[in-house]
Amino acid sequence: MKYFTLRAAYCFWSILILSMSAFGIKAETLEQQAHLKATPNLCLTDDQFSYCEIDLLLTWETVNDDLVCIISDYPTIPRWCSDDPSEKSVNLTIKTDKDIQFILVRKDNNLTLAGVKLKINKASTQQVRRRYRNPWSLF
């Protein structure tokens, strides 16, 4: 009886490990099947403006012609969904002072396909350099 219990436990754990590895492989292939690109993916701000106002083009590629949605972590950008599987891009006008993460998901089940980040960088002010040496110094 003890042998049977150990064998059943071994079979259970083997099946569990195999199924977990199969799901891991499936998740990797889903990520490889879709790509999301932001153009431009960087916005520079200066001292006058603390925010970045930019026209952003999001383009994506998927192996299957799925209906997709684009969601972001920025509250003023609403969820956008495609109605045509051949549609592969969307233009957005964005005004922000923080980085924004965009995620491409399937419309029917919200499965994450790809992601991209819009980075906001503040341009540094040119610093005035002070001379430490006297003008008459040789060194």
Side-chain angles (χ1 to χ4, degrees):
M1 185 71 172
K2 188 175 188 181
Y3 173 75
F4 178 73
T5 325
L6 287 174
R7 186 173 173 117
Y10 176 75
C11 288
F12 171 76
W13 287 110
S14 298
I15 291 170
L16 182 66
I17 290 170
L18 285 173
S19 64
M20 287 174 39
S21 64
F23 286 122
I25 292 169
K26 184 172 176 87
E28 288 175 10
T29 57
L30 283 174
E31 287 181 7
Q32 293 170 355
Q33 290 178 0
H35 299 284
L36 180 63
K37 182 180 175 186
T39 307
N41 62 351
L42 178 67
C43 185
L44 294 175
T45 62
D46 58 6
D47 286 341
Q48 285 183 326
F49 304 106
S50 61
Y51 59 88
C52 178
E53 190 166 349
I54 189 170
D55 289 327
L56 183 72
L57 175 65
L58 293 173
T59 56
W60 59 89
E61 296 176 13
T62 57
V63 173
N64 302 327
D65 285 335
D66 296 324
L67 291 175
V68 295
C69 293
I70 295 178
I71 56 176
S72 72
D73 60 353
Y74 201 69
T76 60
I77 300 173
R79 177 185 175 114
W80 178 89
C81 292
S82 67
D83 295 325
D84 182 12
S86 64
E87 192 170 18
K88 301 290 182 185
S89 67
V90 64
N91 284 311
L92 301 172
T93 301
I94 296 172
K95 184 176 177 181
T96 182
D97 61 345
K98 297 179 183 175
D99 294 351
I100 301 175
Q101 179 77 33
F102 293 97
I103 300 172
L104 182 72
V105 297
R106 282 190 183 159
K107 189 175 183 178
D108 56 352
N109 61 4
N110 283 337
L111 181 67
T112 301
L113 299 174
V116 70
K117 189 174 204 175
L118 171 67
K119 293 191 173 263
I120 309 300
N121 286 345
K122 296 188 183 202
S124 61
T125 59
Q126 191 174 15
Q127 296 178 352
V128 177
R129 191 169 170 195
R130 184 179 161 253
R131 264 188 100 130
Y132 290 103
R133 293 183 279 154
N134 290 332
W136 48 266
S137 174
L138 297 176
F139 298 103

